[in-house]
Every structure is written in structure tokens, then in C-alpha cells.
Amino acid sequence: MTISQAQISTAADNLAAAPAAQPRLKVLVIDDALDLRVYVRALLRKWGFEAVLASNGAEGLERLRAGDIRLVICDWMMDGMSGPEVCAAIRREDFSHYVYVMLLTGRTEDTDLVYGLDAGADDFVGKPFDAQVLRARLQVGVRILGLEERLAEQNRRLKQSHDALDRAYGQIQNDLAAAARIQRESLPVSDASIAPLRAGWLFLPAAKISGDSFHFFPVSADEIGFYHLDVAGHGIPAALLSASLSRSLVPHASAAGSVAGSGTYLDPAALLAALNAELCNPDGEVTSYATVIYGVLDPHTGAGRIALAGHPQPLLLRADGSVELLPKGGLPVGMFDSAAYDAERFHLAPGERLITYSDGITDCFDIDGNAFNLDHLCRLLAANRAQSSADLAELLRETVLGWRGDAELEDDVSLLIIERPSAAE
């Protein structure tokens, strides 16, 4: 395409009317014809662009590598690299931004256009071209680059948000792991405090932290106390309430070594009533509740008293392998301030055990929807009564997890075994 001096002069005369674009978008013009480069530069300046010129493809690539040029006008037919070859070379470069390329060409065959698009061209302007058509095509490129910029900004913000969420999630996981460690530290680590009784236990949270809790402890010179609780729900709210209730269920030793408030802790029914009154909402709305077992036991005589608040019935594993269920108790604590609780007496002969557990065991389902029900639990305990309480708890852990298979636990699983050893031991 040959550009007349009159066309160049006319374009130059109109430069004064060009809007002052800040910042001005750089446009690279690659053409081996000097007159066309000068003409297009004049038009670009008039339209508010900054023109960068190159006389061949190799020079154009150097200009692109050296600056922040995002829009290219390139002739198809040139000495050295052709326009499509320049497009292909641009697409092979690892620019940090997208480069929009328009080819100037007199070719109109579909096969030529497909070839140019396949090489990496974004648009075509036919030669000889009308200045307003070129301007309109440039505006299309500008809009597309603007969309690309906005998309890049949105991606940047999304990445920032994602990174922030990742950090927050990591912090939450760290906090949960710390809470889980603290919760496990509140569980028994040894049964030495209740000698000559022995104990075994199982604790499998459905999540990192659990609403289940249990423990045993001296409440007087002659008796030990024990509790097992299961807060409704899962996760942090259940674990926080579980920790709070656990503190209420354990007496605190005074500096002199005596147990503060031991009278209350010797009366299981009164303790559950007090706990229920503490947890009930004054407005009568049930916001949270828990099932609880609390009992006391004389290690030397095996005589005990126990009260239930909605918790699964404790089991007595007798020396002959039979399993007895203790009577059902009252409503869970935290539901009704008028709930009443009664204490039941029980007795452990030498070689017998008291077993308390959460419903996460009996409501554990296998892949076919079959529950690991109370019958399964009783049969397992009876068949393995010769094992120690600790080994029995471990066997139950393996059995329940095997029953569940690869699926995650749906509910917290916990179990406490208190054993009065036989006289021969």
C-alpha cells in the first residue's frame, strides 16, 4: 500500500486535535514500507496512542521484549518474517500480558484467514484500508485488552482472597489441633487415681474435637466418682459445652488436699439436677443439651450409685459373661428446668465391670446401613471378658472402625470401662 504525502500531511495537521490520553497505550507498527509506518504513526498519534515502529518481524519482537506493548499492527507480506510468522513467534513468547495482534493484508481467501488465525492473529484489516476502519478495529482491540486487564485484576483479587482463606483455614486447623490436644489432656491418662479399680477407655472424635467426655476421680476417702457425657451436635460448639460441663462434674481439691463440695459430688441425682438448672435457658428455649451419666463407687466394696440424664443405659459385665442393663434415667440436662433425676444403686463383684458409652457406638452404621447396635456391643464384651479393660477398649476401637469401613465417623465414639479386679489379681 502506497501512502501519498498529502495523506501524511493531512494526518499530521490533525494531531493538534488528538485527545491527551494518559497513559497512552503503546501500539507497535511492523511494516517494511516506511511510508505506511509513518502514515499509521500519524493516525495513531491523532487517536491518542503512542506509536512504536519496527521495519521487520525480528525488530518488532525486540521492541515487544523491551517494553510494555500490548497491541500490534503487522503487515502480512514483509521481507524476512511474514506477518503470520511474527504472530506465531509472539505466541511462543512468555509475556506477562496478552499481546493483541492485527494483520494488515490484501488476502481475502478463507484459507488465508484461517492460516493467519491459526498462527495467532486476533483480527485483520484489509489493504488498502480506510482510516476509520483501522480506528474501529483498534478500539475492538482496546476493549478486549481492557477485558483482559479486568479479568487479570479479578484473578489477582481472587488469588488474594484465596490466599487469605488458606491462611485463615490453616489457622483454624492449627487452633482445632491445639483444642484437640487440650481436650485429650482432659481425658484420663492413667487409672492410678482409682486403685485398686482399673479402667479402660475409647475416644474417637468424628471431627478433630468432640462433644463427648468422660473421667474418674476421688470424691472422698472411700469413693471415686465418674462421669460420661455427650453434648448434642458436633464440632466447636459441642466441644466448648463439653469442656464447661466437664469442669462442673469434677470436684476440685483444696490446698489441704480435701475435696471441695464433696457432699454434692456424693449425690449423683442432686448433681445432675444442679447441672440441669445451670444449663437451662431462663427463657425456656432449648439452645443446647447433653446426655450425662454421673456415679460414685466404693473401690473396696463395689457398692455404687448412679444417675442418668438421657444417656444410653450403662452395662454391667458380670463375671459369668452375662450383661445387665442398668435402669433408664431422666431427660438430658439443658432441656427442661423441671426435670427430675433419681440415683440407682448397683454393685460390682470382684471380676465385674461397669461400661458406659456414647450412642456413637450403637448408632455407627456400616456401608449397608446396618447399625452396630447394643446387641453387637454386648456380645463383643461377653465374648472377650477375659481381656483386660484396656485391651477390651482397644478391641472395640478396631471393631467399630472396621464396621464403619472407609467412611468417616458420623458421630463421636466414646466408651469407659471401670473394673473391679478379681480377688486373685
Side-chain angles (χ1 to χ4, degrees):
M1 177 179 179
T2 303
I3 308 301
S4 69
Q5 185 61 43
Q7 287 176 301
I8 297 175
S9 300
T10 300
D13 291 341
N14 291 326
L15 286 178
Q22 295 294 332
R24 301 175 70 178
L25 181 65
K26 292 181 179 179
V27 179
L28 173 64
V29 181
I30 307 175
D31 199 296
D32 55 2
L34 176 61
D35 55 350
L36 190 137
R37 295 199 302 273
V38 173
Y39 175 59
V40 174
R41 180 178 62 185
L43 292 174
L44 292 173
R45 288 177 175 175
K46 174 183 176 182
W47 296 331
F49 296 98
E50 178 182 344
V52 179
L53 305 184
S55 60
N56 55 61
E59 185 183 355
L61 289 173
E62 290 302 315
R63 297 282 190 272
L64 284 172
R65 296 186 187 111
D68 55 348
I69 299 170
R70 303 186 57 206
L71 206 156
V72 175
I73 300 172
C74 182
D75 192 19
W76 183 302
M77 297 295 296
M78 296 184 295
D79 292 335
M81 299 175 67
S82 67
E85 290 173 335
V86 173
C87 290
I90 290 173
R91 300 307 173 214
R92 289 193 297 270
E93 293 284 336
D94 186 24
F95 294 116
S96 61
H97 52 270
Y98 188 73
V99 178
Y100 189 90
V101 182
M102 293 191 308
L103 286 177
L104 296 178
T105 179
R107 297 170 180 261
T108 58
E109 295 294 330
D110 289 344
T111 54
D112 293 325
L113 298 181
V114 169
Y115 175 68
L117 291 170
D118 285 343
D122 296 290
D123 200 358
F124 298 89
V125 176
K127 295 173 64 177
F129 63 83
D130 180 272
Q132 294 308 312
V133 172
L134 178 62
R135 182 176 180 276
R137 297 286 194 181
L138 282 169
Q139 291 305 317
V140 171
V142 169
R143 287 197 297 272
I144 291 176
L145 291 176
L147 290 172
E148 190 263 343
E149 277 188 355
R150 287 194 290 275
L151 180 60
E153 176 63 18
Q154 289 173 358
N155 287 338
R156 185 185 67 80
R157 292 180 180 177
L158 283 173
K159 185 178 185 305
Q160 288 179 338
S161 299
H162 184 270
D163 291 344
L165 286 174
D166 273 350
R167 290 192 295 272
Y169 179 77
Q171 185 60 53
I172 290 172
Q173 293 303 305
N174 290 337
D175 292 346
L176 286 174
R181 288 194 299 271
I182 294 171
Q183 186 175 54
R184 287 186 177 275
E185 289 170 1
S186 70
L187 298 174
V189 294
S190 167
D191 57 9
S193 65
I194 60 172
L197 299 177
R198 296 176 182 171
W201 52 88
L202 169 64
F203 182 68
L204 291 172
K208 284 182 182 269
I209 52 180
S210 169
D212 288 8
S213 183
F214 52 84
H215 219 311
F216 41 77
F217 36 81
V219 291
S220 72
D222 300 317
E223 291 184 301
I224 65 104
F226 59 90
Y227 74 84
H228 199 149
L229 67 89
D230 181 0
V231 175
H234 307 288
I236 295 174
L240 289 175
L241 180 57
S242 177
S244 176
L245 295 178
S246 296
R247 286 193 296 271
S248 298
L249 288 165
V250 178
H252 302 286
S254 67
S258 62
V259 176
S262 58
T264 304
Y265 290 97
L266 292 172
D267 187 342
L271 183 58
L272 290 190
L275 192 67
N276 181 62
E278 177 185 334
L279 191 58
C280 282
N281 191 315
D283 298 329
E285 181 181 357
V286 178
T287 55
S288 56
Y289 64 90
T291 66
V292 187
I293 287 175
Y294 182 83
V296 292
L297 177 63
D298 187 324
H300 304 286
T301 67
R305 302 177 303 283
I306 193 167
L308 278 68
H311 206 81
Q313 294 167 264
L315 308 176
L316 294 177
L317 180 59
R318 299 303 187 184
D320 62 3
S322 62
V323 179
E324 297 178 17
L325 274 69
L326 288 176
K328 294 182 179 179
L331 294 170
V333 295
M335 298 190 76
F336 301 103
D337 56 9
S338 59
Y341 303 96
D342 296 314
E344 299 288 342
R345 294 185 179 274
F346 69 96
H347 182 264
L348 283 184
E352 295 183 343
R353 309 177 208 200
L354 171 72
I355 296 100
T356 65
Y357 58 94
S358 68
D359 59 7
I361 292 180
T362 52
D363 290 344
C364 179
F365 292 91
D366 66 10
I367 193 173
D368 297 319
N370 301 309
F372 188 87
N373 53 32
L374 182 59
D375 185 52
H376 282 92
L377 177 59
C378 291
R379 289 206 311 269
L380 182 143
L381 293 171
N384 297 278
R385 64 185 183 277
Q387 296 194 32
S388 69
S389 293
D391 289 343
L392 195 53
E394 177 62 21
L395 174 63
L396 184 62
R397 185 190 75 85
E398 295 174 356
T399 304
V400 168
L401 291 178
W403 184 272
R404 186 64 181 157
D406 294 332
E408 299 288 337
L409 291 171
E410 292 183 341
D411 196 3
D412 302 322
V413 169
S414 59
L415 172 130
L416 174 63
I417 303 174
I418 297 178
E419 174 188 358
R420 187 181 177 197
S422 64
E425 294 184 70

